[in-house]
Coordinates of all heavy atoms in Angstrom, one line a residue:
M213 N 89.6 96.3 117.1 CA 90.6 97.3 116.7 C 91.8 96.7 116.1 O 92.3 95.6 116.6 CB 91.0 98.1 118.0 CG 91.8 99.3 117.7 SD 92.0 100.4 119.2 CE 93.4 99.7 119.9
R214 N 92.4 97.2 115.1 CA 93.6 96.8 114.4 C 94.6 97.9 114.4 O 94.3 99.1 114.3 CB 93.3 96.3 113.0 CG 92.3 95.1 113.0 CD 91.9 94.7 111.6 NE 93.0 94.1 110.9 CZ 93.3 92.8 110.9 NH1 92.6 92.0 111.7 NH2 94.3 92.3 110.2
I215 N 95.9 97.5 114.5 CA 96.9 98.5 114.6 C 97.9 98.2 113.4 O 98.2 97.0 113.2 CB 97.7 98.4 115.9 CG1 96.8 98.8 117.1 CG2 98.9 99.3 115.9 CD1 97.4 98.6 118.4
V216 N 98.3 99.2 112.7 CA 99.2 99.1 111.6 C 100.6 99.3 112.1 O 101.0 100.5 112.3 CB 98.9 100.1 110.4 CG1 99.9 99.9 109.3 CG2 97.5 99.9 109.9
C217 N 101.3 98.2 112.4 CA 102.7 98.3 112.8 C 103.6 98.8 111.7 O 103.5 98.3 110.6 CB 103.1 96.9 113.3 SG 104.9 96.9 113.8
P218 N 104.5 99.8 111.9 CA 105.3 100.3 110.9 C 106.3 99.2 110.4 O 106.9 99.3 109.3 CB 106.1 101.4 111.5 CG 105.9 101.3 113.0 CD 104.7 100.5 113.2
F219 N 106.5 98.1 111.1 CA 107.4 97.1 110.7 C 106.7 95.8 110.1 O 107.2 95.2 109.3 CB 108.3 96.6 111.9 CG 108.9 97.8 112.6 CD1 108.6 98.2 113.8 CD2 109.9 98.5 111.9 CE1 109.2 99.2 114.5 CE2 110.5 99.6 112.5 CZ 110.1 100.0 113.8
C220 N 105.5 95.5 110.6 CA 104.8 94.3 110.3 C 103.6 94.5 109.4 O 103.0 93.5 108.9 CB 104.4 93.5 111.6 SG 105.7 93.3 112.7
G221 N 103.0 95.7 109.4 CA 101.8 95.9 108.7 C 100.6 95.8 109.6 O 100.8 95.8 110.9
E222 N 99.4 95.7 109.1 CA 98.2 95.7 109.9 C 98.0 94.4 110.6 O 98.1 93.3 110.0 CB 97.0 95.9 109.0 CG 95.7 96.1 109.8 CD 94.5 96.5 108.9 OE1 94.7 97.1 107.8 OE2 93.4 96.2 109.2
R223 N 97.8 94.4 111.9 CA 97.7 93.3 112.8 C 96.6 93.5 113.8 O 96.2 94.6 114.1 CB 99.0 93.0 113.5 CG 100.2 92.8 112.7 CD 100.0 91.5 111.8 NE 101.1 91.3 110.9 CZ 102.2 90.5 111.2 NH1 102.2 89.9 112.3 NH2 103.1 90.4 110.3
E224 N 96.0 92.4 114.3 CA 94.9 92.5 115.2 C 95.5 92.8 116.6 O 96.6 92.6 117.0 CB 94.1 91.2 115.2 CG 94.8 90.0 115.6 CD 93.9 88.7 115.5 OE1 93.6 88.3 114.4 OE2 93.6 88.2 116.6
L225 N 94.6 93.4 117.4 CA 94.9 93.9 118.7 C 95.6 92.9 119.6 O 96.4 93.3 120.4 CB 93.6 94.4 119.3 CG 93.7 95.1 120.7 CD1 94.6 96.4 120.6 CD2 92.4 95.5 121.2
G226 N 95.2 91.6 119.5 CA 95.7 90.6 120.4 C 97.2 90.5 120.4 O 97.8 89.9 121.3
E227 N 97.8 90.9 119.3 CA 99.3 90.8 119.2 C 100.0 91.9 120.0 O 101.2 91.9 120.2 CB 99.7 90.9 117.8 CG 99.3 89.8 116.9 CD 99.9 89.8 115.5 OE1 100.8 90.7 115.2 OE2 99.6 88.9 114.7
F228 N 99.3 92.9 120.5 CA 99.9 94.1 121.1 C 99.5 94.1 122.6 O 98.5 93.6 123.1 CB 99.3 95.4 120.5 CG 99.7 95.5 119.0 CD1 98.9 94.9 118.0 CD2 100.8 96.2 118.6 CE1 99.2 95.0 116.7 CE2 101.1 96.3 117.2 CZ 100.3 95.7 116.3
T229 N 100.4 94.8 123.4 CA 100.1 95.1 124.8 C 100.1 96.6 125.0 O 101.0 97.3 124.6 CB 101.2 94.4 125.6 OG1 101.3 93.0 125.4 CG2 101.0 94.6 127.1
Y230 N 99.0 97.0 125.7 CA 98.9 98.4 126.0 C 99.8 98.8 127.2 O 99.8 98.1 128.2 CB 97.5 98.7 126.3 CG 97.2 100.2 126.8 CD1 97.2 101.2 125.9 CD2 96.9 100.4 128.1 CE1 97.0 102.5 126.3 CE2 96.7 101.7 128.5 CZ 96.7 102.7 127.6 OH 96.5 104.0 128.0
L231 N 100.6 99.8 127.0 CA 101.5 100.2 128.1 C 101.3 101.6 128.7 O 102.0 102.1 129.5 CB 103.0 100.1 127.6 CG 103.4 98.7 127.2 CD1 104.7 98.7 126.4 CD2 103.5 97.8 128.4
G232 N 100.2 102.2 128.2 CA 99.8 103.5 128.8 C 100.2 104.7 128.1 O 100.7 104.7 127.0
D233 N 99.9 105.8 128.8 CA 100.1 107.2 128.2 C 101.6 107.3 127.9 O 102.5 107.0 128.7 CB 99.7 108.2 129.3 CG 99.7 109.6 128.8 OD1 100.2 109.9 127.7 OD2 99.1 110.4 129.5
A234 N 101.9 107.8 126.7 CA 103.2 108.0 126.2 C 103.8 109.4 126.6 O 105.0 109.6 126.4 CB 103.3 107.9 124.7
K235 N 103.0 110.2 127.2 CA 103.4 111.6 127.5 C 104.4 111.7 128.7 O 105.3 112.4 128.7 CB 102.2 112.5 127.7 CG 102.6 113.9 127.4 CD 101.4 114.8 127.6 CE 100.3 114.5 126.6 NZ 99.1 115.4 126.8
P236 N 104.1 111.0 129.8 CA 105.0 111.2 131.0 C 106.4 110.9 130.7 O 106.7 109.9 130.1 CB 104.4 110.3 132.1 CG 103.0 110.1 131.6 CD 103.0 110.1 130.1
V237 N 107.3 111.7 131.2 CA 108.8 111.5 131.0 C 109.4 111.2 132.4 O 109.2 111.9 133.3 CB 109.4 112.7 130.4 CG1 110.9 112.6 130.3 CG2 108.8 113.1 129.1
R238 N 110.1 110.1 132.4 CA 110.8 109.6 133.6 C 111.7 110.7 134.2 O 112.5 111.3 133.4 CB 111.6 108.4 133.4 CG 112.2 107.7 134.6 CD 113.0 106.6 134.2 NE 113.5 105.9 135.4 CZ 113.0 104.7 135.7 NH1 112.2 104.0 135.0 NH2 113.5 104.1 136.8
P239 N 111.5 111.1 135.5 CA 112.4 112.1 136.0 C 113.8 111.7 136.1 O 114.1 110.5 136.2 CB 111.8 112.3 137.5 CG 110.5 111.6 137.5 CD 110.5 110.6 136.4
A240 N 114.7 112.6 136.1 CA 116.2 112.3 136.1 C 116.5 111.8 137.5 O 115.8 112.0 138.5 CB 117.0 113.6 135.9
T241 N 117.6 111.1 137.6 CA 118.1 110.6 138.9 C 118.3 111.8 139.8 O 118.9 112.8 139.5 CB 119.4 109.8 138.7 OG1 119.3 108.8 137.8 CG2 120.0 109.3 140.0
G242 N 117.8 111.6 141.1 CA 117.9 112.7 142.0 C 116.8 113.7 142.0 O 116.9 114.7 142.6
A243 N 115.8 113.4 141.2 CA 114.7 114.4 141.1 C 113.9 114.5 142.4 O 114.0 113.6 143.3 CB 113.7 113.9 140.0
A244 N 113.2 115.6 142.6 CA 112.5 115.8 143.8 C 111.4 114.7 144.0 O 110.9 114.2 143.0 CB 111.8 117.2 143.8
E245 N 111.1 114.4 145.2 CA 110.1 113.3 145.5 C 108.8 113.6 144.9 O 108.1 112.7 144.4 CB 110.0 113.2 147.1 CG 109.1 112.1 147.5 CD 109.0 111.9 149.0 OE1 110.0 112.2 149.7 OE2 108.0 111.4 149.5
D246 N 108.3 114.9 144.9 CA 107.1 115.2 144.3 C 107.0 114.9 142.8 O 106.0 114.5 142.2 CB 106.8 116.7 144.5 CG 106.4 117.1 145.9 OD1 106.3 116.1 146.7 OD2 106.3 118.3 146.2
E247 N 108.2 115.2 142.1 CA 108.3 114.9 140.7 C 108.2 113.4 140.4 O 107.5 113.0 139.5 CB 109.6 115.5 140.2 CG 109.7 115.5 138.7 CD 111.0 116.2 138.2 OE1 111.7 116.8 139.0 OE2 111.2 116.0 137.0
V248 N 108.8 112.6 141.2 CA 108.8 111.2 141.1 C 107.4 110.6 141.4 O 106.8 109.8 140.6 CB 109.8 110.5 142.0 CG1 109.7 109.0 141.9 CG2 111.2 110.9 141.6
Y249 N 106.7 111.2 142.4 CA 105.4 110.8 142.7 C 104.4 111.0 141.6 O 103.6 110.2 141.2 CB 104.9 111.5 144.0 CG 103.5 111.2 144.4 CD1 103.2 110.1 145.3 CD2 102.4 111.9 143.9 CE1 101.9 109.8 145.6 CE2 101.1 111.6 144.3 CZ 100.9 110.5 145.1 OH 99.6 110.2 145.5
D250 N 104.5 112.2 141.0 CA 103.7 112.6 139.9 C 103.9 111.6 138.7 O 102.9 111.2 138.1 CB 103.9 114.0 139.4 CG 103.4 115.0 140.4 OD1 102.8 114.7 141.4 OD2 103.7 116.2 140.2
Y251 N 105.1 111.3 138.4 CA 105.4 110.4 137.3 C 104.9 109.0 137.5 O 104.3 108.4 136.6 CB 107.0 110.3 137.1 CG 107.4 109.3 136.1 CD1 107.2 109.5 134.8 CD2 107.9 108.1 136.6 CE1 107.5 108.5 133.8 CE2 108.3 107.1 135.6 CZ 108.1 107.3 134.3 OH 108.5 106.3 133.4
V252 N 105.0 108.5 138.8 CA 104.6 107.1 139.0 C 103.0 107.0 139.2 O 102.4 106.0 138.7 CB 105.3 106.6 140.3 CG1 104.7 105.2 140.7 CG2 106.8 106.5 140.1
Y253 N 102.4 108.0 139.8 CA 101.0 107.8 140.2 C 100.0 108.6 139.5 O 98.8 108.3 139.4 CB 100.8 108.0 141.7 CG 101.6 107.0 142.5 CD1 102.7 107.3 143.3 CD2 101.1 105.7 142.6 CE1 103.4 106.4 144.0 CE2 101.8 104.8 143.4 CZ 102.9 105.1 144.1 OH 103.6 104.2 144.8
L254 N 100.4 109.8 138.9 CA 99.4 110.7 138.4 C 99.3 110.5 136.9 O 100.3 110.7 136.2 CB 99.7 112.1 138.8 CG 99.6 112.4 140.3 CD1 99.9 113.8 140.6 CD2 98.3 111.9 140.9
R255 N 98.1 110.3 136.3 CA 97.9 110.2 134.9 C 96.7 111.0 134.5 O 95.7 111.0 135.3 CB 97.7 108.7 134.5 CG 98.9 107.8 134.6 CD 100.0 108.2 133.6 NE 101.1 107.3 133.7 CZ 102.2 107.6 134.4 NH1 102.3 108.7 135.1 NH2 103.2 106.8 134.4
D256 N 96.7 111.6 133.3 CA 95.5 112.2 132.8 C 94.5 111.2 132.3 O 95.0 110.1 131.8 CB 95.9 113.1 131.6 CG 96.7 114.3 132.1 OD1 96.6 114.7 133.2 OD2 97.5 114.8 131.3
N257 N 93.3 111.4 132.4 CA 92.2 110.5 131.9 C 91.6 111.2 130.7 O 90.5 111.8 130.8 CB 91.2 110.2 133.0 CG 90.2 109.1 132.6 OD1 90.5 108.4 131.7 ND2 89.1 109.0 133.3
I258 N 92.3 111.1 129.6 CA 91.9 111.8 128.4 C 90.7 111.2 127.7 O 90.7 110.0 127.4 CB 93.1 112.0 127.5 CG1 94.2 112.8 128.2 CG2 92.7 112.6 126.2 CD1 95.5 112.8 127.5
A259 N 89.7 112.0 127.4 CA 88.6 111.6 126.6 C 88.8 112.2 125.2 O 88.4 113.4 125.0 CB 87.2 111.9 127.2
G260 N 89.5 111.6 124.3 CA 89.8 112.2 123.0 C 91.2 111.6 122.5 O 91.5 110.5 122.9
V261 N 91.9 112.4 121.8 CA 93.1 112.0 121.2 C 94.3 112.0 122.2 O 94.5 113.0 122.9 CB 93.5 112.9 119.9 CG1 94.8 112.5 119.4 CG2 92.4 112.8 118.9
M262 N 95.0 110.9 122.3 CA 96.1 110.9 123.1 C 97.2 109.9 122.5 O 96.9 109.1 121.7 CB 95.8 110.4 124.5 CG 95.4 108.9 124.7 SD 95.0 108.5 126.4 CE 96.6 108.5 127.1
S263 N 98.4 110.1 122.9 CA 99.6 109.3 122.5 C 99.7 108.2 123.6 O 99.8 108.4 124.8 CB 100.8 110.1 122.4 OG 100.8 111.0 121.4
E264 N 99.9 106.9 123.1 CA 100.0 105.8 124.0 C 101.2 104.9 123.5 O 101.5 104.9 122.4 CB 98.7 104.9 123.9 CG 97.4 105.7 124.1 CD 96.2 104.9 123.8 OE1 96.2 104.1 122.8 OE2 95.2 105.1 124.5
N265 N 101.7 104.3 124.5 CA 102.8 103.3 124.2 C 102.1 101.9 124.1 O 101.3 101.5 124.9 CB 103.8 103.2 125.4 CG 104.7 104.4 125.3 OD1 105.1 104.9 124.3 ND2 105.1 104.9 126.5
W266 N 102.5 101.2 123.0 CA 102.1 99.8 122.8 C 103.3 99.0 122.5 O 104.3 99.5 121.9 CB 101.1 99.8 121.6 CG 99.7 100.3 121.9 CD1 99.4 101.7 121.9 CD2 98.5 99.6 122.2 NE1 98.1 101.8 122.2 CE2 97.5 100.6 122.4 CE3 98.2 98.3 122.3 CZ2 96.2 100.2 122.7 CZ3 96.9 97.9 122.5 CH2 95.9 98.9 122.7
Y267 N 103.2 97.7 122.9 CA 104.3 96.8 122.6 C 103.8 95.7 121.7 O 102.8 95.1 121.9 CB 104.8 96.2 123.9 CG 105.9 95.2 123.7 CD1 107.2 95.5 123.3 CD2 105.7 93.8 124.0 CE1 108.2 94.6 123.2 CE2 106.7 92.9 123.9 CZ 107.9 93.3 123.5 OH 108.9 92.4 123.3
H268 N 104.5 95.5 120.5 CA 104.1 94.5 119.6 C 104.8 93.1 119.9 O 105.6 92.6 119.2 CB 104.4 94.9 118.1 CG 103.7 94.1 117.1 ND1 103.9 94.2 115.8 CD2 102.8 93.1 117.3 CE1 103.1 93.3 115.2 NE2 102.4 92.7 116.0
G269 N 104.3 92.5 121.0 CA 104.9 91.3 121.5 C 104.6 90.1 120.6 O 105.4 89.1 120.6
G270 N 103.5 90.1 119.9 CA 103.1 89.0 119.0 C 103.7 89.2 117.6 O 103.4 88.4 116.7
G271 N 104.6 90.2 117.4 CA 105.2 90.4 116.1 C 106.7 90.8 116.2 O 107.4 89.9 116.7
C272 N 107.0 92.0 115.9 CA 108.4 92.4 115.8 C 109.0 92.8 117.2 O 110.2 93.1 117.3 CB 108.5 93.6 114.9 SG 107.6 95.0 115.4
R273 N 108.2 92.8 118.2 CA 108.6 93.1 119.6 C 109.1 94.6 119.7 O 109.9 94.9 120.5 CB 109.7 92.2 120.1 CG 109.2 90.7 120.2 CD 110.3 89.8 120.7 NE 109.8 88.4 120.7 CZ 110.6 87.4 121.0 NH1 111.8 87.6 121.5 NH2 110.1 86.2 121.0
A274 N 108.6 95.4 118.8 CA 109.0 96.8 118.9 C 108.0 97.6 119.8 O 106.9 97.2 120.0 CB 108.9 97.4 117.5
W275 N 108.5 98.6 120.4 CA 107.7 99.6 121.2 C 107.2 100.6 120.2 O 108.0 101.1 119.4 CB 108.5 100.3 122.2 CG 109.0 99.4 123.3 CD1 110.0 98.4 123.2 CD2 108.6 99.4 124.7 NE1 110.2 97.8 124.4 CE2 109.3 98.3 125.3 CE3 107.7 100.1 125.4 CZ2 109.2 98.1 126.7 CZ3 107.5 99.8 126.7 CH2 108.2 98.8 127.3
L276 N 105.9 100.9 120.2 CA 105.3 101.8 119.3 C 104.6 102.9 120.0 O 104.1 102.7 121.2 CB 104.2 101.0 118.5 CG 104.7 99.8 117.7 CD1 103.6 99.1 117.0 CD2 105.8 100.2 116.7
K277 N 104.6 104.1 119.4 CA 103.8 105.2 119.9 C 102.6 105.3 119.0 O 102.7 105.6 117.8 CB 104.6 106.5 119.9 CG 103.9 107.7 120.6 CD 104.9 108.8 120.7 CE 104.2 110.1 120.1 NZ 105.2 111.2 120.2
V278 N 101.4 105.1 119.6 CA 100.1 105.1 118.8 C 99.3 106.3 119.2 O 99.1 106.6 120.4 CB 99.3 103.8 119.1 CG1 98.0 103.8 118.5 CG2 100.1 102.6 118.7
T279 N 98.9 107.1 118.3 CA 98.0 108.2 118.5 C 96.5 107.7 118.3 O 96.2 107.4 117.2 CB 98.3 109.4 117.6 OG1 99.7 109.7 117.7 CG2 97.5 110.6 117.9
R280 N 95.7 107.7 119.4 CA 94.4 107.1 119.3 C 93.4 107.9 120.0 O 93.7 108.6 121.0 CB 94.5 105.7 120.0 CG 93.2 104.9 120.0 CD 93.4 103.6 120.7 NE 93.6 103.7 122.1 CZ 92.6 103.6 123.1 NH1 91.4 103.3 122.7 NH2 92.9 103.7 124.3
N281 N 92.2 108.0 119.4 CA 91.1 108.7 120.1 C 90.5 107.7 121.0 O 89.9 106.6 120.6 CB 90.1 109.1 119.0 CG 89.0 110.0 119.6 OD1 88.5 109.7 120.7 ND2 88.6 111.1 118.9
T282 N 90.5 108.0 122.3 CA 90.0 107.0 123.3 C 88.5 106.9 123.3 O 87.9 106.0 123.9 CB 90.4 107.5 124.7 OG1 89.9 108.8 125.0 CG2 91.9 107.5 124.9
L283 N 87.8 107.8 122.6 CA 86.3 107.7 122.5 C 85.9 106.8 121.4 O 84.9 106.1 121.5 CB 85.7 109.1 122.4 CG 85.9 110.0 123.6 CD1 85.4 111.4 123.2 CD2 85.2 109.5 124.8
T284 N 86.6 106.9 120.2 CA 86.2 106.2 119.0 C 87.1 105.1 118.7 O 86.8 104.2 117.8 CB 86.2 107.2 117.8 OG1 87.5 107.6 117.6 CG2 85.2 108.4 118.1
H285 N 88.3 105.0 119.3 CA 89.3 104.0 119.0 C 90.0 104.2 117.7 O 90.7 103.4 117.2 CB 88.9 102.6 119.2 CG 88.4 102.3 120.6 ND1 89.2 102.3 121.7 CD2 87.1 101.9 121.0 CE1 88.5 102.0 122.7 NE2 87.2 101.8 122.4
E286 N 89.7 105.4 117.0 CA 90.3 105.7 115.7 C 91.8 105.9 116.0 O 92.2 106.7 116.8 CB 89.6 106.9 115.1 CG 90.3 107.3 113.8 CD 89.7 108.6 113.2 OE1 88.8 109.2 113.8 OE2 90.2 109.0 112.2
I287 N 92.6 105.3 115.2 CA 94.1 105.5 115.3 C 94.5 106.4 114.1 O 94.3 106.1 113.0 CB 94.8 104.1 115.2 CG1 94.4 103.3 116.5 CG2 96.3 104.3 115.1 CD1 95.0 101.9 116.4
S288 N 95.1 107.5 114.4 CA 95.6 108.4 113.4 C 97.0 108.3 113.1 O 97.5 108.8 112.0 CB 95.2 109.9 113.9 OG 95.8 110.2 115.1
A289 N 97.8 107.7 113.9 CA 99.3 107.6 113.7 C 99.9 106.4 114.5 O 99.5 106.2 115.6 CB 100.0 108.9 114.0
V290 N 100.8 105.7 113.9 CA 101.6 104.7 114.6 C 103.0 104.9 114.2 O 103.3 104.9 113.0 CB 101.1 103.3 114.2 CG1 102.0 102.3 115.0 CG2 99.7 103.1 114.5
E291 N 103.9 105.1 115.1 CA 105.3 105.3 114.8 C 106.2 104.5 115.8 O 105.7 104.2 116.9 CB 105.7 106.8 114.8 CG 105.4 107.5 116.1 CD 105.5 109.0 116.0 OE1 106.6 109.5 115.8 OE2 104.4 109.6 116.1
P292 N 107.4 104.2 115.5 CA 108.3 103.6 116.4 C 108.5 104.5 117.6 O 108.7 105.7 117.5 CB 109.6 103.4 115.6 CG 109.2 103.6 114.2 CD 108.0 104.5 114.2
A293 N 108.5 103.9 118.8 CA 108.8 104.7 120.0 C 110.3 104.8 120.1 O 111.0 104.0 119.5 CB 108.2 103.9 121.2
L294 N 110.7 105.7 120.9 CA 112.2 105.9 121.0 C 112.8 104.6 121.7 O 112.1 104.0 122.5 CB 112.5 107.1 122.0 CG 112.1 108.5 121.4 CD1 112.4 109.5 122.5 CD2 112.8 108.7 120.1
G295 N 113.9 104.2 121.2 CA 114.5 103.0 121.7 C 114.7 102.0 120.6 O 114.9 102.3 119.5
A296 N 114.6 100.7 121.0 CA 114.9 99.6 120.1 C 114.0 99.7 118.8 O 114.5 99.4 117.7 CB 114.6 98.3 120.8
G297 N 112.8 100.0 119.0 CA 111.9 100.0 117.8 C 112.3 101.1 116.8 O 112.4 100.8 115.6
A298 N 112.7 102.2 117.3 CA 113.2 103.3 116.4 C 114.4 102.9 115.6 O 114.6 103.3 114.5 CB 113.4 104.6 117.2
A299 N 115.3 102.1 116.2 CA 116.5 101.7 115.5 C 116.2 100.8 114.3 O 117.1 100.7 113.4 CB 117.4 100.9 116.5
K300 N 115.1 100.2 114.2 CA 114.8 99.3 113.1 C 114.3 100.1 111.9 O 114.1 99.5 110.8 CB 113.7 98.3 113.5 CG 114.2 97.3 114.5 CD 113.0 96.3 114.8 CE 113.5 95.2 115.7 NZ 112.5 94.2 115.9
V301 N 113.9 101.3 112.0 CA 113.3 102.1 110.9 C 114.2 102.1 109.7 O 113.7 101.9 108.6 CB 113.0 103.5 111.4 CG1 112.6 104.4 110.2 CG2 111.9 103.5 112.4
D302 N 115.5 102.3 109.8 CA 116.4 102.4 108.7 C 117.0 101.1 108.3 O 117.8 101.0 107.4 CB 117.5 103.5 109.0 CG 116.9 104.8 109.1 OD1 115.8 105.1 108.5 OD2 117.4 105.6 110.0
A303 N 116.7 100.0 109.1 CA 117.3 98.7 108.8 C 116.8 98.1 107.5 O 115.8 98.4 107.1 CB 117.1 97.8 110.0
Ligands
LIG192 ZN1 105.4 94.8 114.5

């Protein structure tokens, strides 16, 4: 599998680290215990298209949001994740 980094171009998988489902949002400080438990421990096991967080540690060190089909590994979109990676888009 190869990933097209928006900053570095097409690179092989070994340069990236998988960081999991991009959908869960960290609960606010003081959130209910159930909400924190769900965020930390519960994940969907999607067979199909899902958004994932990847880290390009072997390249630009940006956090990326990759839209990938978990059955075929087909990647339909790669974009900077919110945070440091997104700040580089207009640089
Ligand atoms: Zn990169």
Side-chain angles (χ1 to χ4, degrees):
M213 189 170 89
R214 297 177 71 84
I215 296 176
V216 180
C217 174
F219 308 111
C220 308
E222 185 174 335
R223 300 297 177 96
E224 61 183 71
L225 184 62
E227 294 188 4
F228 298 86
T229 302
Y230 175 73
L231 297 169
D233 190 347
K235 203 181 295 180
V237 177
R238 186 185 187 107
T241 303
E245 186 175 330
D246 288 354
E247 192 177 347
V248 174
Y249 179 89
D250 289 354
Y251 171 73
V252 173
Y253 294 109
L254 300 182
R255 293 289 184 266
D256 294 331
N257 187 17
I258 297 171
V261 176
M262 69 179 289
S263 294
E264 304 169 326
N265 285 322
W266 288 77
Y267 177 68
H268 194 185
C272 61
R273 298 182 184 176
W275 293 70
L276 305 173
K277 187 170 128 184
V278 176
T279 305
R280 181 178 70 98
N281 187 316
T282 60
L283 295 174
T284 64
H285 300 298
E286 178 187 359
I287 294 173
S288 55
V290 181
E291 58 190 293
L294 295 177
K300 291 184 176 183
V301 170
D302 297 326

